[in-house]
Amino acid sequence: MILSSTIVFFLIIQIVILVIFFFFSIKQKHNTNKIIANCIQSTQFKDIEVIVAAKEDKALLSSCLENVLRCGFTSVKVCLDGSSTEDYEYLKKEFPDVVFFRNENSQGKIKSQIQCITKSDKEFILILDADINLFVSEISGFVSYFKKQKIDFLCPYSVGRSSRHNSILFFLAEADRLLRQRIVRTGRDFFGVSNLSGYCLLANRRKYLDVIDGNAIQDDVIATLNLLEKGYTVKTYPKAVCSELERPTIKTMLFQKTRWTAGNILLLNSYPKLFVKTTFQKAFAFSSSFILWYWALWVDMISMIFSMFCPPVTFVLGLEWVLKYLMLNYVSENKKMYFFNLFYIILWPLFATLCLVMCPFYLRGKINEQKTRR
């Protein structure tokens, strides 16, 4: 009885937080779109340097660089973090206008980025993961909004791409992206506590170096506290500006989400600092990402088990599922997602719980990905 009541309590808390963030995400997106509509698009990127740090294969990085140059960027710096000499020489030959650096031994994503950024003389930087492809038709509006609003850091929406773009796995990942970016991230934006995205970030170069700790995770609590203390602005651009390469198999996606889960669990020790150094409202809004992306899914998994013999849990869990389904459908631009959003709501708690179980293996180095870590 006590356990079922506790589960119902957590479910109700999750529902309240989700509804609040959905409401404010819609309001924030509406306000931002009105400003975007009045922006005069700029095609001048001379004051922006593109920064890429990666150890992915040369084919993937080549695709990224071709895309960046096609968008009109003329200043690009790349740090090959632990890549082979052969790849380094190949890329230098293929892209003579790009400046390359190479770490013989992997230094990690942030240190590799900083290596490029400290050698830049541009006012602004566009930091990209190597699997990013920018949308040529959207990049001008993205840059124009950043400059007109005098924002310090701007993070856009993204969409996924995959060689298996019609698979159930791909659409499940897209549904998860909708929740993370369109609802939670944009909702947090309303409270002024958005974090720095790892995949695509337009930033003031000097201020980025001012808040980033080379030994920390890029979008962690420490960076957020630095942002709040210094009064720097971080905003979400409510349009898809780029595509990210989704993992094509269950195994590779499981490894990726396990890495994310482990990283967020390690950050839990830092969360109390938020409540000490900033307002309760901002601290709670920031903490919502962990609650809605991880904790809520684990609670849903437990609730699914208890719902088989506890009607109150069944009712509240069903209510949460209906509300989440309606919200995801509302923010979905592709009507095909309506079908897969339902699968996501039912299956993702199991997937998230499996990631939690695998975290100890990741933290002990038993799970590896060919990707530069933060």
Side-chain angles (χ1 to χ4, degrees):
M1 181 64 181
I2 295 176
L3 184 55
S4 61
S5 298
T6 302
I7 294 173
V8 168
F9 172 76
F10 281 130
L11 286 172
I12 292 173
I13 294 297
Q14 292 168 195
I15 291 171
V16 172
I17 295 174
L18 185 63
V19 170
I20 290 172
F21 272 80
F22 175 73
F23 172 77
F24 284 122
S25 69
I26 298 304
K27 186 174 183 179
Q28 181 71 10
K29 183 177 180 180
H30 176 72
N31 293 339
T32 304
N33 280 335
K34 286 197 298 185
I35 298 172
I36 293 173
N38 294 320
C39 284
I40 299 175
Q41 294 199 1
S42 170
T43 56
Q44 296 298 317
F45 306 139
K46 293 182 180 180
D47 54 353
I48 299 174
E49 182 132 51
V50 176
I51 305 294
V52 183
K55 67 175 183 181
E56 281 82 354
D57 64 84
K58 62 184 179 184
L60 186 64
L61 184 54
S62 293
S63 174
C64 175
L65 294 177
E66 288 169 0
N67 170 256
V68 164
L69 296 173
R70 190 162 56 248
C71 286
F73 293 99
T74 56
S75 184
V76 184
K77 284 184 169 61
V78 177
C79 183
L80 302 173
D81 188 36
S83 295
S84 67
T85 304
E86 291 76 12
D87 284 356
Y88 174 65
E89 295 298 334
Y90 170 84
L91 289 166
K92 281 177 59 178
K93 182 178 179 180
E94 289 295 308
F95 300 95
D97 295 328
V98 175
V99 178
F100 288 93
F101 303 94
R102 176 176 173 264
N103 296 329
E104 185 172 344
N105 298 312
S106 180
Q107 301 296 311
K109 182 175 180 179
I110 300 304
K111 287 183 179 179
S112 298
Q113 286 177 351
I114 291 175
Q115 184 176 343
C116 293
I117 295 169
T118 52
K119 293 179 173 61
S120 173
D121 60 356
K122 303 296 184 183
E123 183 178 2
F124 307 115
I125 51 175
L126 177 61
I127 302 173
L128 301 176
D129 274 354
D131 64 345
I132 290 295
N133 274 355
L134 299 170
F135 297 145
V136 178
S137 60
E138 296 291 343
I139 195 66
S140 293
F142 178 58
V143 172
S144 300
Y145 176 76
F146 173 81
K147 292 182 177 180
K148 180 177 181 179
Q149 294 300 111
K150 294 180 171 54
I151 298 168
D152 299 317
F153 305 93
L154 186 61
C155 315
Y157 288 170
S158 67
V159 296
R161 72 178 192 278
S162 172
S163 57
R164 302 181 179 181
H165 61 275
N166 285 321
S167 68
I168 293 178
L169 189 65
F170 174 77
F171 285 109
L172 289 177
E174 284 302 282
D176 187 53
R177 189 191 310 278
L178 291 175
L179 178 65
R180 287 187 287 110
Q181 293 183 359
R182 274 64 164 178
I183 297 178
V184 179
R185 184 180 185 89
T186 310
R188 279 196 328 194
D189 222 35
F190 183 87
F191 296 97
V193 288
S194 281
N195 58 342
L196 305 182
S197 64
Y199 58 90
C200 179
L201 174 69
L202 186 55
N204 179 293
R205 183 180 67 86
R206 178 185 60 80
K207 292 180 179 179
Y208 182 82
L209 291 174
D210 194 28
V211 299
I212 291 301
D213 180 353
N215 296 312
I217 297 175
Q218 177 168 328
D219 55 356
D220 67 355
V221 177
I222 296 172
T224 300
L225 283 172
N226 288 340
L227 289 167
L228 293 173
E229 289 173 356
K230 297 176 185 296
Y232 296 157
T233 55
V234 186
K235 295 292 184 182
T236 300
Y237 187 75
K239 289 187 175 183
V241 170
C242 60
S243 65
E244 298 180 75
L245 188 63
E246 285 293 351
R247 302 301 188 267
T249 66
I250 292 178
K251 179 181 176 181
T252 54
M253 184 172 289
L254 186 62
F255 283 4
Q256 179 194 49
K257 307 302 183 188
T258 298
R259 171 166 53 87
W260 293 1
T261 305
N264 277 273
I265 289 174
L266 290 176
L267 290 178
L268 288 178
N269 288 333
S270 298
Y271 274 75
K273 298 176 185 177
L274 280 170
F275 290 88
V276 172
K277 296 188 177 183
T278 187
T279 65
F280 177 84
Q281 184 185 58
K282 287 182 178 293
F284 188 76
F286 183 89
S287 304
S288 69
S289 59
F290 182 84
I291 294 173
L292 294 177
W293 296 343
Y294 299 101
W295 175 263
L297 294 170
W298 302 331
V299 171
D300 282 358
M301 185 65 216
I302 296 172
S303 301
M304 289 167 66
I305 297 172
F306 271 82
S307 65
M308 292 185 288
F309 51 85
C310 185
V313 173
T314 305
F315 174 79
V316 182
L317 178 63
L319 176 62
E320 182 196 37
W321 283 5
V322 169
L323 290 174
K324 187 179 288 187
Y325 179 69
L326 294 174
M327 293 174 190
L328 287 172
N329 286 352
Y330 186 89
V331 299
S332 297
E333 297 174 357
N334 184 355
K335 291 185 177 180
K336 188 185 293 186
M337 288 301 301
Y338 292 1
F339 176 74
F340 291 100
N341 286 339
L342 181 60
F343 272 86
Y344 166 77
I345 292 168
I346 297 173
L347 296 178
W348 212 249
L350 174 60
F351 190 83
T353 304
L354 186 56
C355 291
L356 176 64
V357 172
M358 292 179 62
C359 281
F361 298 97
Y362 173 81
L363 294 172
R364 292 189 181 115
K366 302 297 184 182
I367 297 175
N368 296 303
E369 292 181 281
Q370 183 63 17
K371 182 177 175 64
T372 298
R373 303 295 192 276
R374 293 183 180 183

